[in-house]
Amino acid sequence: MVNKMVEAVIFDMDGLMFDTERMFKRQFREALDQNGLAQVPDTVIEAMIGCDSWRIALFEDRFPGIGDVMRRCQEERADYFFRFFPTPGSANKKGLRRLMGYLDQKQIPYAIASSSFRHHIERFCDYAGFAMHPKAVLSGKDGYRSKPEPDIFLAAANALGADPANCLVLEDSKNGILAAHRAKMQSIFIPDQIVPDDEMRKVLCHTCADLSQVIEYLENTGSVL
């Protein structure tokens, strides 16, 4: 895939900006154990993280009550976040501060587009230990179809005033990478809980070990003059 100039960057949040997927996996496991569902395997927990409510309901036949436990965990997620990560910045994924500082320095606008509740996004970002300057914050709870549909990324591009083809999406999930492809955007996969499969590898532009490596990608595309 030929890389085009990047004029704007779109961040996913969970597992990409902050280590929330590892945190939520622990929270969900603890809640399941406390509610008589200790038999639920880790593979099911991983499949449910970040799911829409209709997908969560698919697991009810195998594990009655699991949806209610998930919903309670989502409601209590922010409070658990601050217990799990006791100091500002301790949830940050590697390279986050450096990359955002670089984008500010080079005046490359960026947005955050996450499936999380808006108030969670804002609270977590306020806890990063440095000031962020996103041009837009979009929550999947505001009615966008869920990834792999491209809706939230296209809305982010519109908010940034950027051509989708010149937007770079940073993602740690398969559905996020597929959504970026459907939006005709560039994408970089930053591993968190999964490794890319053949379908992902066909459509993503690049893989970086951490967020700081995105800087090299931006320079190589000619996005930084």
Side-chain angles (χ1 to χ4, degrees):
M1 183 179 294
V2 177
N3 300 333
K4 301 178 182 179
M5 180 177 287
V6 175
E7 60 184 57
V9 176
I10 302 171
F11 286 81
D12 179 39
M13 186 186 74
D14 289 309
L16 189 283
M17 292 172 60
F18 305 114
D19 204 7
T20 50
E21 292 199 352
R22 178 174 64 91
M23 174 210 79
F24 195 71
K25 184 177 179 180
R26 175 80 63 81
Q27 180 192 5
F28 195 22
R29 166 56 69 195
E30 290 176 358
L32 291 170
D33 290 351
Q34 293 166 6
N35 286 273
L37 289 167
Q39 76 276 19
V40 175
D42 283 351
T43 52
V44 170
I45 292 175
E46 290 161 3
M48 292 181 70
I49 292 175
C51 282
D52 281 349
S53 57
W54 71 268
R55 289 179 181 160
I56 293 172
L58 299 177
F59 294 93
E60 282 289 332
D61 286 343
R62 291 174 60 194
F63 306 104
I66 196 170
D68 286 337
V69 174
M70 170 64 86
R71 281 186 285 275
R72 287 198 301 273
C73 285
Q74 289 173 333
E75 291 169 0
E76 299 166 1
R77 180 169 176 256
D79 292 335
Y80 193 93
F81 177 91
F82 295 107
R83 295 197 302 273
F84 195 86
F85 301 110
T87 58
S90 58
N92 296 4
K93 297 295 278 189
K94 185 178 179 181
L96 176 66
R97 184 170 191 163
R98 184 180 172 202
L99 175 56
M100 287 195 162
Y102 181 85
L103 296 177
D104 287 341
Q105 178 189 2
K106 299 300 182 180
Q107 298 183 338
I108 300 175
Y110 61 91
I112 299 170
S114 169
S115 61
S116 294
F117 289 104
R118 179 178 297 274
H119 63 279
H120 287 170
I121 300 171
E122 293 170 348
R123 288 186 70 189
F124 295 172
C125 288
D126 286 344
Y127 198 65
F130 66 95
M132 295 185 186
H133 306 99
K135 188 173 180 180
V137 174
L138 295 91
S139 166
K141 306 302 185 187
D142 290 337
Y144 302 106
R145 290 184 299 171
S146 63
K147 305 167 190 175
E149 298 303 326
D151 302 38
I152 195 168
F153 289 156
L154 292 172
N158 184 61
L160 291 166
D163 183 336
N166 296 109
C167 289
L168 174 64
V169 171
L170 306 179
E171 266 285 356
D172 69 305
S173 71
K174 178 175 180 176
N175 282 338
I177 292 296
L178 295 178
H181 177 66
R182 291 181 179 182
K184 296 181 170 53
M185 296 178 177
Q186 300 172 64
S187 63
I188 290 181
F189 175 69
I190 311 225
D192 180 39
Q193 300 292 315
I194 66 166
V195 295
D197 59 16
D198 290 341
E199 186 178 15
M200 288 175 64
R201 281 191 287 266
K202 288 178 183 177
V203 299
L204 61 85
C205 294
H206 195 56
T207 298
C208 290
D210 61 63
L211 289 165
S212 65
Q213 292 185 2
V214 176
I215 295 171
E216 182 179 356
Y217 178 90
L218 292 170
E219 292 180 335
N220 288 341
T221 62
S223 303
V224 181
L225 301 179

